């Protein structure tokens, strides 16, 4: 079983232990403000292989490379003016930017799935300090079995991957609760590849232009989180529910009134006051709790598709997608 270190009690010990495991080429459970990541040395092909094997993740699905700061990111990638403006405005924070990889970067092609671009993020707080101490970028997808619900606590990581990894760093519940927003600049235009923890309106304000959206899952995987079926619990997922059956779990948002709610196996509310940030922070944890109720289906009441609601609805639509 994985060892746990509480970073709030022992931040220096946590960094020392984490660097030792990372240097051996093994992944660790790393807390970030978005979700917990399965982090390993992005320059080491053996370490990256361990990530894919531990998650059961398809190797055509690229990994986000986490940096200590913009200076480290510039050692590995080229930043156009719009990407740089976004990095300066939102890093550290829940934004991943897809940029061209420099020819002399030592980020291994396994991390980028052979693409000539790389997704880069600078996380807030402890994760950034750990990367700075380690001295190399960390590839870090969410710390869960591929395609299943993302982890927003050390307990979630332990429950899913605890027998497969050596170390889990515990920082409590993730503050944001959904993965980072992913954007890419092409020919001066800004594309939204994945909604996430940074609202599109904030990005548009700084970029001075509207984000282009594809409107559907792309056949070409340019970034994490683009698979049609993803973030899925064991139970089926039903969206925009107006009524619930006795064998279903119910997850509400705000003051929604759902017919038959008293018959549901369990009833949870992402945010009784209708706060989308609170709902995002609770999303994956409540999906896990609803799944644990034994319900055959998890029904969700409607969630506004604005602000962080866009990211929540993106995750739910992928969780509800047909599974292969």
């Amino acid at each position: 079983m994985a060892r746990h270190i509480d970073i709030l009690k022992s931040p220096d010990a946590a960094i020392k232990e984490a660097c030792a495991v990372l240097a051996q080429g093994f992944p660790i459970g790393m807390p970030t403000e978005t979700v917990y990541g399965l982090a390993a040395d992005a320059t080491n092909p053996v370490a990256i292989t361990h990530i894919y094997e531990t998650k059961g993740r398809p190797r055509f699905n690229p990994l986000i490379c986490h940096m200590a700061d913009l200076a480290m990111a510039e050692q590995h990638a080229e930043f156009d003016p719009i990407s740089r403006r976004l990095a300066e405005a939102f890093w550290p924070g829940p934004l991943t930017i897809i940029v061209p990889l420099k020819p002399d970067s030592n980020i291994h092609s396994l991390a980028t799935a052979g693409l000539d671009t790389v997704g880069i993020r600078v996380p807030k707080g402890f994760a950034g300090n750990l990367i700075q101490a380690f001295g190399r970028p960390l590839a870090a997808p969410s710390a869960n079995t591929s395609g299943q619900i993302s982890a927003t606590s050390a307990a979630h990581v332990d429950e899913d991957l605890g027998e497969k990894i050596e170390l889990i760093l515990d920082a409590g519940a993730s503050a944001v609760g959904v993965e980072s927003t992913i954007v890419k600049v092409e020919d001066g235009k800004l594309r939204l590849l994945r909604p996430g923890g940074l609202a599109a309106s904030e990005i548009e304000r700084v970029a001075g232009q509207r984000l282009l959206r594809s409107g559907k899952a792309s056949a070409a995987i340019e970034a994490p989180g683009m698979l049609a079926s993803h973030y899925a619990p064991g139970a089926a997922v039903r969206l925009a529910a107006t009524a619930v059956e006795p064998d279903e779990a119910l997850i509400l948002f705000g003051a929604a009134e759902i017919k038959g709610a008293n018959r549901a196996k369990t009833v949870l509310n992402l945010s009784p006051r209708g706060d989308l940030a609170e709902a995002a922070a609770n999303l994956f944890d409540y999906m896990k709790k609803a799944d644990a109720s034994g319900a055959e289906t998890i029904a969700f009441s409607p969630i506004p598709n604005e602000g962080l609601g866009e990211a929540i609805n993106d995750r739910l639509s992928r969780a509800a997608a047909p599974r292969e």
Side-chain angles (χ1 to χ4, degrees):
M1 295 295 292
R3 290 178 290 121
H4 284 238
I5 297 180
D6 186 337
I7 70 164
L8 300 179
K9 294 181 178 178
S10 308
D12 293 339
I15 287 178
K16 182 178 179 181
E17 286 289 317
C19 286
V21 175
L22 292 168
Q24 294 171 28
F26 295 109
I28 63 169
M30 179 181 75
T32 80
E33 77 277 26
T34 56
V35 299
Y36 275 66
L38 184 65
D41 185 348
T43 70
N44 182 342
V46 174
I48 299 164
T49 297
H50 283 314
I51 290 178
Y52 284 114
E53 290 176 343
T54 300
K55 283 181 63 70
R57 182 185 178 98
R59 299 194 187 197
F60 59 77
N61 196 2
L63 307 174
I64 292 173
C65 292
H66 294 68
M67 308 284 177
D69 49 31
L70 178 55
M72 178 182 281
E74 288 181 315
Q75 296 173 20
H76 296 278
E78 299 283 356
F79 283 76
D80 61 89
I82 297 173
S83 296
R84 181 179 301 280
R85 194 184 317 155
L86 294 175
E88 291 174 344
F90 297 116
W91 283 353
L95 176 67
T96 294
I97 306 173
I98 307 295
V99 284
L101 193 65
K102 284 185 173 179
D104 60 350
S105 170
N106 61 350
I107 290 175
H108 199 273
S109 60
L110 281 174
T112 63
L115 299 173
D116 59 4
T117 56
V118 60
I120 295 179
R121 185 166 93 84
V122 175
K124 288 183 178 178
F126 176 84
N129 295 336
L130 171 57
I131 298 164
Q132 188 72 59
F134 187 59
R136 295 189 290 280
L138 295 180
S142 55
N144 58 278
T145 300
S146 184
Q148 298 185 11
I149 304 172
S150 299
T152 55
S153 71
H156 292 165
V157 182
D158 199 22
E159 178 184 322
D160 192 349
L161 303 178
E163 294 184 356
K164 297 180 179 181
I165 61 177
E166 290 189 26
L167 180 64
I168 300 171
L169 305 179
D170 189 346
S174 300
V176 176
V178 292
E179 294 85 354
S180 61
T181 305
I182 303 179
V183 297
K184 182 181 182 182
V185 176
E186 292 179 328
D187 299 323
K189 301 295 185 181
L190 193 56
R191 290 177 57 211
L192 178 66
L193 299 184
R194 180 180 74 182
L198 180 63
S201 58
E202 288 297 298
I203 298 170
E204 291 173 338
R205 176 182 59 80
V206 170
Q209 61 174 276
R210 295 297 300 273
L211 276 165
L212 303 178
R213 295 165 169 81
S214 64
K216 60 181 179 179
S218 171
I221 304 299
E222 302 176 74
M226 295 183 71
L227 296 175
S229 178
H230 208 40
Y231 313 107
V237 173
R238 187 166 66 86
L239 306 181
T242 56
V244 65
E245 299 299 324
D247 62 345
E248 294 184 323
L250 176 62
I251 298 183
L252 300 167
F253 174 76
E257 295 186 5
I258 303 297
K259 184 178 179 180
N262 61 319
R263 298 181 298 169
K265 278 188 172 290
T266 189
V267 179
L268 301 165
N269 196 318
L270 293 172
S271 175
R273 59 184 178 174
D275 184 324
L276 288 168
E278 181 182 24
N282 287 329
L283 178 63
F284 291 136
D285 183 49
Y286 283 16
M287 286 175 71
K288 285 179 176 288
K289 288 177 177 176
D291 204 25
S293 73
E296 295 181 6
T297 301
I298 303 172
F300 283 83
S301 68
I303 295 171
N305 199 44
E306 59 189 32
L308 289 180
E310 184 177 12
I312 295 170
N313 284 316
D314 171 79
R315 302 307 187 272
L316 293 181
S317 66
R318 295 177 194 273
R323 303 172 194 178
E324 296 182 356

